[in-house]
Amino acid sequence: LSSFVLRRSICGESTRPYGRWFVEATSAIKDDPREDLRKYWVRRGWPDDVAFVPRLRDFPLYRRESRKCRLVLLALEASYGHNEKVDPTTLSIEHVLPQTSKSGKSGKAWQVMLGDRWKADHEAYLHTIGNLTLTGYNQDLSNKPFPEKQVELVSSNLVLNKTFENTATWNAETISDRGEKLAAEVAK
């Protein structure tokens, strides 16, 4: 059910029929509840991975669905299955590429890293899943340049942040690549 609702939300599908569908879904349950419900939701337009993954990669998740954004990031972290759990109440969403990158030394560093298309890329990738992570150090990271943020993120206890170990630069390409990877993980 959560996958159905999340996928339809990200893919821009209507929520209008949900009241009727959720009631109908109960009558679809027969011998194998999980499979019976899966088949019912597929008939009702459950977006498949081919539709969902690229849409999630490019979707401004933080701006349009901030609550779902947090749930998705927490679910990703939980899916890695490590035994040392992190208290989710201490975590906040971090924009690796900061929300403001126009002025000052840090802003200039971000502009250089993003390249000639920095304004367009900043707007396009800022709130996408590839640019978002969880941290307990949001205030400390602020608008710092990527190399400084990277040091903090790599030392994080969150598996979600281990991808930053081998990332030399943070730009449209690396954000999109990470977004594709995370979207595929969410689809699982």
Side-chain angles (χ1 to χ4, degrees):
L1 180 58
S2 62
S3 177
F4 176 78
V5 171
L6 177 69
R7 284 172 179 248
R8 286 183 56 88
S9 174
I10 299 301
C11 291
E13 300 292 336
S14 173
T15 61
R16 184 167 289 205
Y18 284 3
R20 183 172 36 92
W21 288 355
F22 294 157
V23 172
E24 285 177 3
T26 60
S27 65
I29 299 170
K30 303 293 181 214
D31 298 328
D32 186 351
R34 184 180 184 112
E35 183 60 20
D36 296 339
L37 280 174
R38 189 195 65 76
K39 287 177 183 174
Y40 177 80
W41 295 127
V42 167
R43 286 194 313 270
R44 291 298 182 203
W46 185 335
D48 62 12
D49 292 355
V50 173
F52 176 70
V53 169
R55 181 71 177 143
L56 178 57
R57 180 196 63 218
D58 299 332
F59 188 77
L61 187 60
Y62 182 83
R63 188 183 78 219
R64 299 255 315 270
E65 300 278 358
S66 61
R67 287 186 188 150
K68 289 178 187 163
C69 178
R70 180 173 175 76
L71 290 173
V72 166
L73 292 171
L74 287 169
L76 275 170
E77 183 63 28
S79 76
Y80 299 130
H82 47 83
N83 290 330
E84 296 180 48
K85 303 292 184 215
V86 176
D87 179 5
T89 63
T90 66
L91 302 175
S92 61
I93 297 171
E94 169 66 19
H95 288 76
V96 180
L97 169 62
Q99 294 187 66
T100 56
S101 63
K102 296 177 183 144
S103 62
K105 188 177 106 180
S106 293
K108 294 295 180 197
W110 279 108
Q111 291 172 24
V112 168
M113 183 164 284
L114 289 172
D116 293 338
R117 294 180 30 89
W118 76 268
K119 282 184 184 179
D121 289 347
H122 184 267
E123 186 176 312
Y125 294 99
L126 179 63
H127 298 299
T128 63
I129 195 166
N131 188 50
L132 304 172
T133 193
L134 295 170
T135 182
Y137 300 99
N138 193 296
Q139 294 289 82
D140 297 335
L141 296 173
S142 186
N143 293 345
K144 289 181 180 176
F146 180 69
E148 293 177 39
K149 282 190 171 189
Q150 183 182 30
V151 170
E152 294 295 327
L153 293 169
V154 168
S155 68
S156 170
N157 291 330
L158 299 173
V159 176
L160 189 60
N161 293 332
K162 296 306 175 196
T163 65
F164 297 107
E165 287 177 337
N166 301 314
T167 305
T169 188
W170 197 249
N171 58 25
E173 183 180 350
T174 52
I175 295 169
S176 182
D177 289 349
R178 182 173 182 260
E180 183 81 22
K181 178 181 174 263
L182 293 177
E185 291 176 19
V186 170
K188 287 181 193 174

